[in-house]
Amino acid sequence: GHDKIVPYLRFKYESPIPQYDICVHFRNTDKHNDINVVLDKVRHLWKPTQTIYLATDDRSAISSFKAAFADSVCCSDPPLPRASGGGIHHASAKELATFGKTKENLNWEMIKDVLILRDAKTFIPCSNSSFSWLVMAMRVFKQQVGAILSVSKEPPNIVD
């Protein structure tokens, strides 16, 4: 309802969405991926003056990225450790409360991540995640809308 959309509109119009050169979605809890493959893709593209945004559910991925790219890496709130493993979106309200979070907090963090990844100059998706598929679709849609409105947009750069 209206009470849910107002905070989004405030975020969107009062705070510009941060821009990053390379954005990465890396999922590695209930859907496993190889961090070394992703790090190699980023190393191939990255220049020391570029910024990297990491959206992940894997705390160790944050450490790996910071070890490889130091202060060039930024990420949203660190993912919460889950005793059961699995994606944080499967956590119960009780489990989230132990970390001072709610499902609504997670939803807003997800929306922020989607918008940041959508607007990145280069996006490296996680091929086995519907979250990455959503971001890729939004990147293409944004380009198509820009073309329709005759707004100059660079084509989305999605690295497989």
Side-chain angles (χ1 to χ4, degrees):
H2 182 265
D3 60 320
K4 303 287 185 198
I5 197 68
V6 169
Y8 166 73
L9 293 173
R10 282 196 189 115
F11 166 76
K12 177 134 176 67
Y13 295 106
E14 292 177 11
S15 318
I17 297 169
Q19 291 285 305
Y20 295 91
D21 297 298
I22 301 171
C23 286
V24 179
H25 176 226
F26 182 73
R27 187 160 174 188
N28 202 38
T29 51
D30 55 335
K31 301 205 176 179
H32 299 285
N33 292 283
D34 186 342
I35 188 71
N36 294 310
V37 170
V38 177
L39 287 169
D40 286 344
K41 287 179 183 181
V42 176
R43 280 187 192 103
H44 177 73
L45 298 167
W46 181 71
K47 295 174 183 61
T49 58
Q50 293 181 314
T51 55
I52 300 168
Y53 185 82
L54 176 63
T56 187
D57 60 356
D58 182 359
R59 294 169 84 76
S60 66
I62 296 170
S63 299
S64 296
F65 266 78
K66 291 201 178 229
F69 305 107
D71 293 334
S72 295
V73 178
C74 181
C75 58
S76 58
D77 288 344
L80 307 177
R82 295 201 62 222
S84 63
I88 192 62
H89 57 286
H90 296 297
S92 68
K94 183 178 179 180
E95 184 178 7
L96 291 171
T98 63
F99 298 103
K101 298 275 187 180
T102 65
K103 287 280 188 181
E104 187 172 5
N105 296 136
L106 290 182
N107 289 338
W108 287 116
E109 288 173 20
M110 184 267 312
I111 289 168
K112 182 182 80 169
D113 279 351
V114 165
L115 295 174
I116 290 171
L117 299 174
R118 179 201 67 185
D119 292 348
K121 293 178 184 171
T122 299
F123 175 52
I124 300 174
C126 191
S127 62
N128 61 350
S129 171
S130 58
F131 183 84
S132 278
W133 301 343
L134 170 67
V135 171
M136 289 185 288
M138 289 178 70
R139 288 172 66 85
V140 170
F141 179 74
K142 183 178 179 183
Q143 180 196 18
Q144 290 171 344
V145 168
I148 290 168
L149 298 175
S150 299
V151 175
S152 175
K153 298 285 181 190
E154 294 181 28
N157 186 6
I158 299 172
V159 179
D160 292 328

